[in-house]
Amino acid sequence: MTFPLNEGQERAASTLAGPVLISAGAGTGKTRALTERFVRAVIPGVDEEWAPAAVNELLTITFTEKAAGELVERIRASLRAAGLTRDARELDGAWIS
């Protein structure tokens, strides 16, 4: 895990199989939870029931292009911190909008 999450954020970040909708007000940590979920989906061995995904196999949608840009930068930083520099470089081709 790259940073601490509250109970709701943890539930969203740890549910790797299938889609997840995160709906909450401004400043509640939606971007944090989405960032963590994306990174966990890519890191090998995070969940025994989940095979790691390539960054271009994940679809991440947020409300605005500004928020999507913030999300990409947070994911990139988290992937680099996890030692996944190749995945961080491949983010420009990821489905994040």
Side-chain angles (χ1 to χ4, degrees):
M1 180 165 36
T2 56
F3 36 75
L5 303 172
N6 67 34
E7 183 181 332
Q9 292 167 332
E10 178 61 38
R11 192 169 42 253
S14 63
T15 304
L16 297 178
V20 170
L21 171 67
I22 300 173
S23 177
T28 57
K30 295 179 300 294
T31 302
R32 175 184 293 185
L34 283 171
T35 299
E36 186 64 26
R37 184 170 195 258
F38 192 102
V39 172
R40 288 183 187 191
V42 174
I43 294 176
V46 169
D47 183 342
E48 293 177 10
E49 297 179 20
W50 177 259
V55 296
N56 65 353
E57 295 176 328
L58 301 170
L59 173 64
T60 307
I61 300 172
T62 189
F63 190 68
T64 67
E65 287 301 319
K66 181 179 178 184
E70 173 72 17
L71 188 57
V72 167
E73 290 311 310
R74 288 189 190 190
I75 292 170
R76 189 182 320 276
S78 294
L79 289 171
R80 285 182 178 148
L84 299 171
T85 54
R86 180 182 54 84
D87 293 300
R89 284 191 306 269
E90 293 177 359
L91 266 183
D92 292 331
W95 295 86
I96 301 173
S97 64

